[in-house]
Amino acid sequence: MPESIHHPRPPAADGESLKWQLTGCRGTEACRFALTPLAPLSTRLEAVLRESGWDAFLRRQYPRGVKPHHRLRLALSACPNGCSQPQIQDVGLIAALRPVRVLPACSACGLCEGTCREGAIAVKGDIAVINPDACLACGECLRACPVAALQAAPLAFRVLIGGHMGRHPAWAVELPGAAAPDQIPRILLRFVDLLIREAKTGERVWQIVERVGAAAIGHALGDPHDD
């Protein structure tokens, strides 16, 4: 079995846990910053990986034996703090809750401005104003507002690909936009299909992403609602 999202296990002797590593932060059960529980999405992603053909691909790719560093590494983070280190994984998913509108009920109390560490919202005159370019979609301003005057977009996940450590580490590349939780399993399946299709012998995930290009990959993933 693959590693638990909360308590990753060492690789099993039979190699079953060498397929992938799915880790996550503490989530809503233990962290006040968390925007959403992660266990339901984790379960769906594990089901996708089991049916994706990734295991057979790894065995073809490494006929002398699959090693821990060959597995697909995924990390889920319930907020932009990124405690699960999604920025250095093959696939990183970061929960996002983005304020998009200030309602007339705003009292200009300034609590949202005082809460935001990015300076993405500020009181100007008698109402708060959002700076979307600075916003990390952490949702802290929404929690701070005493009159619920901030309207948010639906919860979504930022998708990052191709991060890695090693001799020449690099941050994962963030794909444009954000995806609804129900879209994530389809996106992952399409990404794994692309890796299997595009990989050259011995090539790691980050090398595929670098060679094919994040823009081309994002285009290939397309609309997750499409068949």
Side-chain angles (χ1 to χ4, degrees), residues 2 14 16 18-19 25 49 63-65 73-74 80 92 101 117 131 136 145 151 171 177 192-193 195 201 203 216 227:
D14 61 5
E16 280 296 300
L18 296 179
K19 300 176 185 177
C25 64
L49 290 167
R64 295 185 178 181
R73 297 169 299 111
L74 308 94
R101 183 184 176 199
R117 288 176 276 177
N131 177 1
L136 288 185
C145 183
Q151 187 177 66
W171 292 117
V192 172
D193 285 345
L195 294 176
T201 302
E203 201 171 35
D227 291 330

Side-chain angles (χ1 to χ4, degrees), residues 33-57:
F33 296 110
L35 298 172
T36 182
L38 295 177
L41 179 57
S42 172
T43 299
R44 294 185 64 186
L45 296 183
E46 288 182 342
V48 166
L49 290 167
R50 290 190 190 100
E51 301 300 323
S52 67
W54 181 255
D55 181 36
F57 163 73

Side-chain angles (χ1 to χ4, degrees), residues 6-221:
H6 295 299
H7 304 289
R9 298 190 300 270
D14 61 5
E16 280 296 300
S17 64
L18 296 179
K19 300 176 185 177
W20 64 82
Q21 177 180 334
L22 177 58
T23 58
C25 64
R26 296 179 297 168
T28 53
E29 296 179 359
C31 179
R32 72 177 184 88
F33 296 110
L35 298 172
T36 182
L38 295 177
L41 179 57
S42 172
T43 299
R44 294 185 64 186
L45 296 183
E46 288 182 342
V48 166
L49 290 167
R50 290 190 190 100
E51 301 300 323
S52 67
W54 181 255
D55 181 36
F57 163 73
L58 284 183
R59 296 179 188 281
R60 293 194 305 271
Q61 194 73 331
Y62 304 103
R64 295 185 178 181
V66 178
K67 298 180 180 179
H69 59 274
H70 294 148
R71 58 189 164 184
L72 187 68
R73 297 169 299 111
L74 308 94
L76 307 184
S77 179
C79 82
N81 288 343
C83 294
S84 57
Q85 301 180 327
Q87 300 90 345
I88 57 171
Q89 311 300 331
D90 296 320
V91 179
L93 300 169
I94 303 175
L97 190 62
R98 185 177 300 277
V100 294
R101 183 184 176 199
V102 181
L103 302 177
C106 175
S107 63
C109 68
L111 288 176
C112 57
E113 181 176 355
T115 298
C116 182
R117 288 176 276 177
E118 276 64 49
I121 189 166
V123 175
K124 296 184 179 180
D126 60 356
I127 197 168
V129 177
I130 300 167
N131 177 1
D133 292 334
C135 181
L136 288 185
C138 68
E140 285 297 294
C141 60
L142 296 157
R143 294 188 180 106
C145 183
V147 293
L150 294 174
Q151 187 177 66
L155 180 82
F157 280 86
R158 296 158 54 195
V159 180
L160 295 77
I161 57 172
H164 64 96
M165 294 299 289
R167 294 169 66 95
H168 302 282
W171 292 117
V173 178
E174 184 168 349
L175 299 180
D182 285 345
Q183 296 174 339
I184 295 296
R186 180 64 63 85
I187 290 172
L188 177 60
L189 180 60
R190 289 185 175 183
F191 183 55
V192 172
D193 285 345
L194 182 145
L195 294 176
I196 293 173
R197 183 173 66 251
E198 295 288 344
K200 297 181 179 180
T201 302
E203 201 171 35
R204 304 281 290 280
V205 172
W206 69 267
Q207 293 171 314
I208 301 171
V209 171
E210 188 175 84
R211 175 171 54 79
V212 176
I217 291 174
H219 179 74
L221 297 183

